[in-house]
């Protein structure tokens, strides 16, 4: 299979959108990511996948901590800013557990790097959750590389 086919197949998995943030020497850094998942409840661990060639890869290794900002449906512009699709836009950050975070995110998770695992051309960063905060809102979703509105079509609880 070629890379395009693989990417198209992976795009069939509807997912939320996150912005990963960290800070080095007072400079805030962030990147949009949808490769995020929970790993464990005891201890509380999450996982993000970051391309080895991404700037954020070395920044997270250097800082040893990061925040996962799960975006709300009204934050598509934040996703686009940190994906490099919107340029020259100032972003106001809040602080949470001494990390820069995106204001009004659906969920904010502050993590220390717990472990790392090389995986192909990416590194899996396992984060030990130090604290989190959440608010009621609808999530920003992506499917086949496009932002999607989620309609309340819940037919039963999971």
């Amino acid at each position: 299979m070629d890379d395009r086919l693989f990417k198209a197949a992976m795009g069939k998995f509807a997912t939320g959108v996150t912005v990963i943030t960290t800070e080095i020497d007072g400079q805030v850094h962030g990147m949009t990511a949808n490769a995020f998942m929970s790993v464990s409840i005891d201890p509380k661990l999450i996982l993000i996948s970051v391309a080895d060639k991404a700037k954020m890869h070395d920044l997270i290794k250097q800082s040893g901590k990061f925040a996962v900002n799960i975006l709300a449906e009204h934050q598509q512009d934040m996703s686009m800013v940190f994906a490099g699709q919107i340029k020259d836009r100032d972003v106001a950050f809040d602080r949470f557990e001494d990390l820069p975070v995106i204001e009004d995110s659906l969920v904010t998770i502050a993590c220390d790097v717990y472990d790392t695992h090389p995986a192909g051309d990416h590194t899996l960063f396992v984060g030990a959750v130090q604290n989190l905060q959440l608010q009621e809102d609808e999530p920003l979703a992506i499917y086949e590389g496009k932002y999607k509105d989620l309609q309340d079509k819940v037919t039963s609880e999971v």
Side-chain angles (χ1 to χ4, degrees):
M1 87 198 80
D2 67 13
D3 291 351
R4 246 185 354 207
L5 179 62
F6 181 78
K7 190 173 181 177
M10 295 305 101
K12 296 288 186 186
F13 183 68
T15 183
V17 182
T18 72
V19 171
I20 310 304
T21 53
T22 195
E23 186 174 33
I24 301 290
D25 298 327
Q27 181 74 30
V28 176
H29 303 274
M31 72 168 226
T32 298
N34 64 350
F36 159 80
M37 63 180 275
S38 63
V39 173
S40 170
I41 291 177
D42 185 19
K44 290 169 184 56
L45 302 174
I46 58 90
L47 181 143
I48 60 172
S49 179
V50 180
D52 294 341
K53 65 182 179 181
K55 292 178 188 174
M56 186 59 80
H57 179 273
D58 292 338
L59 295 169
I60 291 172
K61 279 193 160 190
Q62 184 180 349
S63 71
K65 57 186 178 178
F66 61 91
V68 177
N69 304 268
I70 300 175
L71 300 184
E73 67 181 346
H74 67 275
Q75 294 180 300
Q76 180 176 329
D77 60 332
M78 287 293 101
S79 171
M80 295 173 76
V81 165
F82 290 99
Q85 297 167 327
I86 296 177
K87 307 281 186 201
D88 300 325
R89 167 108 188 256
D90 288 332
V91 175
F93 292 96
D94 281 340
R95 301 291 298 180
F96 181 66
E97 297 294 324
D98 200 33
L99 282 164
V101 297
I102 307 294
E103 292 179 346
D104 298 324
S105 292
L106 185 64
V107 179
T108 302
I109 307 169
C111 299
D112 289 333
V113 173
Y114 178 85
D115 205 354
T116 61
H117 301 276
D121 59 359
H122 280 60
T123 295
L124 306 178
F125 288 93
V126 178
V129 177
Q130 300 305 309
N131 202 353
L132 59 79
Q133 57 188 7
L134 57 108
Q135 65 179 358
E136 291 300 316
D137 208 337
E138 294 298 316
L140 181 62
I142 196 164
Y143 177 74
E144 293 185 329
K146 298 179 181 114
Y147 296 103
K148 299 288 183 180
D149 290 329
L150 296 181
Q151 302 301 319
D152 190 8
K153 296 181 181 179
V154 176
T155 58
S156 64
E157 292 292 317
V158 175

